[in-house]
Amino acid sequence: MILVFKAGSSREQVTHAEERLREIGLEPHTLLGVERTVIAAVGDERVTTAEQLASIPGVEKVLPILAPYKLASRELIPTPTTFTIGGDSEVKPCATRVTFGGSFIPVVAGPCSVEGRSQLLEVAHAVKEAGASALRAGAFKPRTSPYQFQGLAEEGLEYLAEAREATGLPIITEVLTPSDVPLVAKYADCLQIGTRNMQNFLLLRACGQVKNPVLLKRGMSATLEEYLLAAEYVLTGGNKRVMLCERGIRTFENYVRNTFALAVIPALKEKTHLPILADPSHGTGVRSLVPAMTRASVACGADGILIEVHPNPEKAMTDGAQTLSVKDFEKLMKECRAVAQAIGRSM
Ligand code: PEP
Ligand code: MN
C-alpha cells in the first residue's frame, strides 16, 4: 500500500506513521519528496485495511500497489532511478563514480574471468582507453562442471582492486554464496548476482544487507515477474541500488547459446524504475552476433551494456567463443555512440 501524505505534513507525522505501520506488521519504506512524502507499506496487507491506514494523521490518501513487487514498481516510483557506483567510502574511494539510469549509457567491459594479474591489467587499460566506464571480471565463477576452472577467488579480487587502482574504473564482480558476501563486498564497487543465482533467496537477502550496489542478472528461465520479485528481495533489505541485466534465456533454439530476449528491456522499463542493462555476450554466446545485438540493445533503450572483452579471446579460459578482442570492442564502441546519439543519449 502507498500512503500519500498531505502537502506540508510534519516530520513527526511521518515518524508516527512509520511506527504505526511497524506496530501493525508492515515495513515502511519512506520516500521524502520535495513536495510530498510517501510511504510504501510492504508486507502481508491482510493485517490492515486502506481505511485504517487513511486515518493515520497527515495521510491524505492510501493507494494499493497492484504489482506483486512493490519497491521495484513504477507504481511506487514513477520516474527512472539513477544511482552511482564507484567512489564509495565503504569500498575504495579511488574509483571514478559512474551513473547508471541516466541519459549516458555506461559500458561495463572485461574478461569473463580474472585469469591472472597481467591479463587483467592489460584488458583493464584497453577497455578504459576504448571508453568503458567500469571493469567486470569474475573471481568466483559459477561453472556447469566441477572440473572446469572455478576462478582465482580472493587472489582474483586482489587483481581487480589493483586494476581499479591503476585505471580508476570501478569494479563489478560476481558473488556466489551468502557467506562470500562480506569478502566480495570488501573489494567490489558493485556485486554481480548471476543468472544461476537469481532465485537464491538467501544470497539476494544477504546482498540486501550491504551498502554495495547490485547488478542482478535475469535467471535463464525466469519470467519478468519472477525477475522483479528477485530484485524486490534485495530492495526490501534496504539496498536501493539495484540494476537489472538481460542476458538471454533458455529456449528450444540451439543455434545460439541463449535467446537474447531484447523485448524484455522496454517491457521492464514499463514496469520498473530500476536501470536495465543488456549483456549481448551471454545473450548470444556467439562472437559474430555480439556487435549487432549490442547496437540493438542501445537502440531499444538499455541503460548500460555489459560485454566480454579479452586481450586474446582464443586463449580465454572461459566464454572465449562470445568474447570480443580489444580491436572489435573499440570498433563497436564507435558504432554504439552513433546509435546512442540517434536516440538522444550518449555513450
Ligand atoms: C558472467 O557474467 O560471466 C556470467 C557467469 O554470467 P551469467 O550469470 O549471465 O551466466
Ligand atoms: Mn562469462
Side-chain angles (χ1 to χ4, degrees):
M1 230 102 64
I2 307 175
L3 280 62
V4 183
F5 282 78
K6 292 175 189 144
S9 46
S10 69
R11 184 62 236 181
E12 288 70 37
Q13 287 177 319
V14 175
T15 308
H16 170 75
E18 289 168 340
E19 284 163 5
R20 261 311 276 137
L21 289 168
R22 285 203 189 90
E23 235 169 61
I24 297 169
L26 293 172
E27 187 55 33
H29 292 264
T30 305
L31 305 165
L32 296 166
V34 189
E35 285 170 19
R36 266 166 209 261
T37 295
V38 303
I39 300 183
V42 298
D44 185 347
E45 291 176 356
R46 287 171 301 183
V47 297
T48 185
T49 59
E51 293 72 47
Q52 192 187 12
L53 297 181
S55 68
I56 296 175
V59 173
E60 183 178 288
K61 58 185 171 191
V62 177
L63 305 166
I65 308 177
L66 298 174
Y69 40 85
K70 312 290 175 191
L71 304 178
S73 81
R74 282 247 182 196
E75 291 171 55
L76 178 67
I77 302 178
T79 53
T81 286
T82 66
F83 58 78
T84 62
I85 75 161
D88 289 2
S89 51
E90 292 81 17
V91 190
K92 279 273 178 186
C94 73
T96 311
R97 279 179 198 280
V98 182
T99 302
F100 285 84
S103 69
F104 178 77
I105 305 169
V107 175
V108 177
C112 182
S113 300
V114 182
E115 297 170 7
R117 183 172 177 274
S118 62
Q119 170 248 16
L120 190 71
L121 286 171
E122 183 182 346
V123 74
H125 283 290
V127 297
K128 181 179 179 179
E129 194 67 27
S133 295
L135 174 68
R136 190 209 60 109
F140 292 92
K141 295 304 301 176
R143 304 308 305 283
T144 302
S145 161
Y147 304 117
Q148 293 170 324
F149 175 60
Q150 305 284 307
L152 297 180
E154 190 164 4
E155 185 189 343
L157 297 175
E158 295 278 358
Y159 298 146
L160 282 163
E162 192 178 339
R164 168 177 53 206
E165 199 84 41
T167 61
L169 294 175
I171 57 176
I172 303 179
T173 196
E174 180 159 358
V175 59
L176 288 181
T177 69
S179 58
D180 284 339
V181 170
L183 172 71
V184 183
K186 211 167 74 185
Y187 289 90
D189 297 285
C190 175
L191 302 169
Q192 175 175 321
I193 300 176
T195 192
R196 294 159 186 81
N197 265 321
M198 190 210 81
Q199 283 190 318
N200 180 339
F201 301 115
L202 296 179
L203 181 62
L204 296 169
R205 283 210 189 280
C207 289
Q209 298 301 316
V210 293
K211 296 247 166 61
N212 315 53
V214 170
L215 187 162
L216 175 63
K217 289 193 162 196
R218 181 185 181 189
M220 61 180 89
S221 63
T223 64
L224 185 152
E225 190 170 298
E226 288 164 343
Y227 190 19
L228 290 174
L229 283 167
E232 191 80 6
Y233 267 89
V234 182
L235 295 167
T236 51
N239 191 345
K240 298 287 187 276
R241 290 190 291 175
V242 177
M243 51 184 150
L244 306 172
C245 179
E246 164 60 29
R247 51 77 70 204
I249 52 170
R250 276 281 168 88
T251 68
F252 58 87
E253 185 55 80
N254 62 6
Y255 82 102
V256 279
R257 181 182 179 190
N258 291 296
T259 296
F260 195 36
L262 264 193
V264 87
I265 291 175
L268 280 167
K269 280 186 170 282
E270 289 177 3
K271 305 282 179 200
T272 183
H273 54 91
L274 300 172
I276 302 147
L277 277 62
D279 171 359
S281 302
H282 295 86
T284 61
V286 181
R287 185 181 308 134
S288 65
L289 304 179
V290 170
M293 295 319 288
T294 308
R295 297 188 300 264
S297 301
V298 174
C300 80
D303 297 308
I305 298 293
L306 192 158
I307 204 145
E308 289 190 334
V309 182
H310 192 285
N312 188 348
E314 193 191 319
K315 294 200 177 148
M317 292 172 79
T318 55
D319 285 353
Q322 66 193 33
T323 298
L324 297 191
S325 66
V326 170
K327 207 162 134 267
D328 290 342
F329 178 63
E330 288 166 349
K331 179 166 178 277
L332 180 57
M333 282 296 297
K334 290 196 187 97
E335 294 166 356
C336 286
R337 285 193 187 106
V339 178
Q341 203 181 9
I343 55 162
R345 298 181 80 173
S346 61
M347 278 183 90

